[in-house]
Amino acid sequence: PFEPGYYDDPYRQYAQLREHDPVHRSDLGPWLITRWADVHTVLRRPGTSVDERNLPEGRRRRDRLVELDPKRADRASHAILNIDPPDHTRLRKLVSKAFTPRAVERIRARTAELTDEILDDLARRNEPVDLIADLAFPLPFQVISELLGMPEGDRDQLRAWSHTLTQVLDPLLVMEHAEAIVEASDRMVEVVTAAIAWKRQRDDDDLLSALIRAEDDGDVLSDHELIDNVTLLYLAGHETTVNLIGNGTNALLDHRDQLERLVADPTLDANAVEELLRFDSPVQFSRRIALEPFEVDGHRVEPGQMVMTGLGAANRDPAKFGPDAEQLDLSRADAREHVSFGSGVHHCLGAALARLEGQEVIGRLVRRFPDLAAAGAPTINGRLVLRGYDELPVTLR
């Protein structure tokens, strides 16, 4: 990642690794695997963990945060992203009772309405706009806020805390910005805790209320589990979708023929989102920690070692997606077999919501403004895991 130009185009480096060193022991410590077959297998492999407490001391990203305040040692430890079965199975079952595809689908009409409102506003402007600040961020933020039923708050402040807090996923940024991450975490926990207390006094029909009421044979979410998982849904429910909209639109701007195909053919919307997810994944890596020894293509992974599954690299593997895997093709037949949402028991809980928002937003955007064009170079966010843009300047006509 220290190579010049990596963040602008990591896929060139991924291609070299896939060809010459597909099971790569990184100088940073973890193994890195880049072929689709290996990534898919390891993501679903028993005897692996996502819980960083199974790493040796000194290899945990959370260690630096805990040094700043040991009282925070337990924070986020109940989020389904960070725990293994059987605890993961129990929590996911409870959360899934509220976060169902049917519940998500109910918000499709509202997503379309919000998108049209934003596009109407953009249409009145006579100057270039920043697609991230003006569309890709506010739309998913509003959607997840309404889906959860969160009380009104300072949108810009919440966005700033969220953007800072997601740096905890990045092994480089967490060391550099530990104090800011801890501060953002404190503020987000305060917001979520207050929202839960407010909801307990009401009888609303929304996701947060459903999570509070979720029960399975007498089992309910504890206060810590509620806070950690609502925070996760709030962050993941909009941060990654911001990147899907930004990365996807930028890819279309770079491939004018595909943008024109999408403008002309609304039946492509669903598959187009799958292909855009494959082509430039909002999440580039997912970790697995060995609990028992296993081999990947003859390389032995020992207990306590981390394997970084290269989702972005696997999504462009020609052994899976053919010799044109580096090309954008919105009609690609197997586009949905990407691993951008992971695989196995930790498959992304919000995949249905991300797909819905991508379909509604990107399709409506390019048909409302078919002459959409870049208005300068985008600003990449410089992150290893959550790849996206901080700014994406465009002209609408």
Side-chain angles (χ1 to χ4, degrees), residues 1-3 6 30-31 45 63 98 118 123 146-147 178 185 195 215 302 311-312 320 330 345 358 369 374:
F2 305 107
E3 180 179 313
Y6 168 81
W31 293 92
R45 186 180 186 91
D63 287 353
I118 292 173
E146 291 191 11
L147 185 63
S185 175
E215 181 178 349
E302 299 290 351
L311 309 180
K320 172 63 179 177
L330 300 187
V345 298
F369 304 111

Side-chain angles (χ1 to χ4, degrees), residues 56-76:
E57 293 286 341
R59 289 290 186 184
R60 304 170 188 167
R61 286 173 292 186
R62 292 176 54 82
D63 287 353
R64 172 66 177 128
L65 305 181
V66 174
E67 283 176 15
L68 296 174
D69 187 345
K71 295 193 298 291
R72 297 182 177 91
D74 196 44
R75 184 166 296 173

Side-chain angles (χ1 to χ4, degrees), residues 144-165:
I144 194 62
S145 294
E146 291 191 11
L147 185 63
L148 280 165
M150 296 291 286
E152 290 295 323
D154 185 332
R155 187 184 72 181
D156 292 336
Q157 183 62 75
L158 287 169
R159 162 62 169 165
W161 290 335
S162 168
H163 202 53
T164 299
L165 188 50

Side-chain angles (χ1 to χ4, degrees), residues 190-298:
E190 289 174 1
V191 169
V192 171
T193 301
I196 291 170
W198 179 63
K199 282 294 176 187
R200 290 191 188 278
Q201 309 302 316
R202 302 166 62 88
D203 186 27
D204 294 338
D205 181 19
D206 52 46
L207 178 58
L208 179 50
S209 299
L211 287 169
I212 292 170
R213 293 192 296 262
E215 181 178 349
D216 184 63
D217 290 334
D219 186 20
V220 297
L221 293 167
S222 70
D223 288 345
H224 285 305
E225 290 168 345
L226 265 173
I227 291 169
D228 285 354
N229 286 287
V230 171
T231 302
L232 173 63
L233 289 170
Y234 199 38
L235 300 180
H238 81 269
E239 191 77 26
T240 52
T241 311
V242 172
N243 293 349
L244 165 58
I245 296 169
N247 296 4
T249 303
N250 189 65
L252 291 171
L253 293 173
D254 287 342
H255 297 81
R256 197 79 207 177
D257 61 323
Q258 297 300 305
L259 189 154
E260 291 171 357
R261 287 182 70 189
L262 189 58
V263 169
D265 187 2
T267 66
L268 279 176
D269 283 2
N271 202 72
V273 168
E274 303 301 334
E275 175 67 351
L276 293 170
L277 283 162
R278 182 199 72 85
F279 186 76
D280 195 8
S281 177
V283 182
Q284 293 279 301
F285 301 98
S286 183
R287 70 178 181 267
R288 292 295 184 272
I289 301 159
L291 299 178
E292 58 190 34
F294 62 89
E295 289 194 357
V296 182
D297 193 32

